[in-house]
Amino acid sequence: MRVIKRGFTIVVSIVLWLVILLAALFAFTTLATKDQAHVASLAGYTPMMVQTDSMAPTFLSGDLIFIRKCDTANLEEGDIICFHTIIENEYALNTHRILQIDEINGIRSYVTKGDNNEISDSHIISDGDIVGKYIGKISRLGTVMEFLSSSFGFLVVIVLPMLLFFIYQVYHLIMVTISLRKAIAAEEAAKKAEAQAESAEGRRNQMQEAQNRPVSDNETEAILAEARRIRAEAEAAKARAEAEAELAEAKRLKAEAEEQLAKVKAARKED
């Protein structure tokens, strides 16, 4: 039973940490690109959700990709970069492959293209537009992030597990408190029993010491005098009992004699 309980606790802890990590990733992914002019990063890394299949099959819509800040001077043709651009007259972030690099008077410009697109991007970008370099992906995790962005998804995946874990922790705290109180009560009972045992042992030792203690002459005389007194009283009581018995016997004999005498007198009168 204890092993099962411990295993359940471990599973709950693992699930909680997964939920916390997922919530943290969702929060950071959501906040990272909220301000399109300034993309947030954690230790130089930024997670992003893929919205289209323009880079298929390298990564697909619904994937979660990771962008790392880089030195644009080290970029080469064929690298995949994330950059600020204009898409359908709206300011946006895009992640495409570098098709061509041009440099004029030390100023570099980049022509980009999606692997799944037939033509290159219409906007030429510069070093200042580049956010970072693509380094990897987690397939379909972007779909999970999209689901979490909905009220229902956030409630089911984040809020509900957190609430259940909180309830479990409160229950666990109550059980621990009860167990602690029982342990304290058992310890107090053990201490009380130990104190009683020590007290009984002390009394027993005192009795043994009294028994083993040598008796003085005065105490011996007192004991002998008491014994003599008790013996004298017993003998006196015995003598009184014997005297009473003899007196009762004498009274009985007297009564019998008087009865015989009365019979003799009666016989003489009849003659």
Side-chain angles (χ1 to χ4, degrees), residues 153-225:
F154 189 80
L155 175 65
V156 171
V157 180
I158 303 300
V159 176
L160 187 58
M162 288 289 191
L163 179 61
L164 292 177
F165 181 77
F166 175 76
I167 294 174
Y168 170 76
Q169 287 298 325
V170 171
Y171 168 77
H172 181 67
L173 179 61
I174 293 174
M175 297 306 296
V176 169
T177 302
I178 294 174
S179 299
L180 182 60
R181 288 181 178 177
K182 289 182 178 179
I184 292 174
E187 184 178 0
E188 290 179 351
K191 289 181 178 179
K192 184 176 180 180
E194 183 178 357
Q196 292 176 348
E198 291 178 353
S199 178
E201 182 69 19
R203 289 195 299 270
R204 186 165 61 250
N205 293 335
Q206 289 177 357
M207 293 176 62
Q208 290 178 351
E209 289 178 357
Q211 292 175 356
N212 297 330
R213 182 172 57 85
V215 181
S216 64
D217 295 339
N218 293 333
E219 289 176 338
T220 303
E221 290 297 331
I223 293 172
L224 291 175

Side-chain angles (χ1 to χ4, degrees), residues 57-266:
T58 305
F59 48 80
L60 306 174
S61 175
D63 291 347
L64 184 71
I65 62 174
F66 295 92
I67 304 300
R68 182 178 64 188
K69 288 184 177 181
C70 64
D71 184 357
T72 57
N74 296 325
L75 292 174
E76 300 176 351
E77 293 180 359
D79 290 338
I80 300 175
I81 58 173
C82 177
F83 52 89
H84 298 284
T85 187
I86 302 296
I87 299 178
E88 296 180 355
N89 296 323
E90 290 186 2
Y91 194 76
L93 289 171
N94 201 4
T95 304
H96 280 174
R97 192 181 301 275
I98 297 176
L99 186 65
Q100 179 180 335
I101 300 177
D102 297 321
E103 185 173 351
I104 300 175
N105 297 326
I107 300 176
R108 306 179 83 187
S109 61
Y110 304 85
V111 178
T112 56
K113 175 181 175 297
D115 292 352
N116 197 35
N117 293 344
E118 295 181 356
I119 59 176
S120 60
D121 300 328
S122 57
H123 292 85
I124 305 299
I125 63 173
S126 62
D127 289 340
D129 298 320
I130 297 175
V131 175
K133 182 178 178 180
Y134 165 81
I135 60 170
K137 68 175 182 178
I138 299 179
S139 298
R140 311 313 302 171
L141 188 56
T143 302
V144 177
M145 296 296 107
E146 286 286 352
F147 178 69
L148 289 179
S149 64
S150 66
S151 299
F152 178 75
F154 189 80
L155 175 65
V156 171
V157 180
I158 303 300
V159 176
L160 187 58
M162 288 289 191
L163 179 61
L164 292 177
F165 181 77
F166 175 76
I167 294 174
Y168 170 76
Q169 287 298 325
V170 171
Y171 168 77
H172 181 67
L173 179 61
I174 293 174
M175 297 306 296
V176 169
T177 302
I178 294 174
S179 299
L180 182 60
R181 288 181 178 177
K182 289 182 178 179
I184 292 174
E187 184 178 0
E188 290 179 351
K191 289 181 178 179
K192 184 176 180 180
E194 183 178 357
Q196 292 176 348
E198 291 178 353
S199 178
E201 182 69 19
R203 289 195 299 270
R204 186 165 61 250
N205 293 335
Q206 289 177 357
M207 293 176 62
Q208 290 178 351
E209 289 178 357
Q211 292 175 356
N212 297 330
R213 182 172 57 85
V215 181
S216 64
D217 295 339
N218 293 333
E219 289 176 338
T220 303
E221 290 297 331
I223 293 172
L224 291 175
E226 182 66 17
R228 286 193 293 269
R229 184 185 65 77
I230 294 173
R231 181 178 178 182
E233 289 179 355
E235 290 178 350
K238 182 179 179 181
R240 285 195 299 271
E242 291 177 351
E244 290 176 355
E246 291 177 355
L247 179 61
E249 182 65 18
K251 287 180 180 181
R252 184 184 66 78
L253 293 174
K254 180 181 179 181
E256 289 180 356
E258 289 177 350
E259 183 180 357
Q260 290 294 330
L261 180 60
K263 288 180 179 180
V264 171
K265 288 180 179 181

Side-chain angles (χ1 to χ4, degrees), residues 264-271:
V264 171
K265 288 180 179 181
R268 287 180 181 180
K269 286 180 179 181
E270 290 178 357
D271 293 340

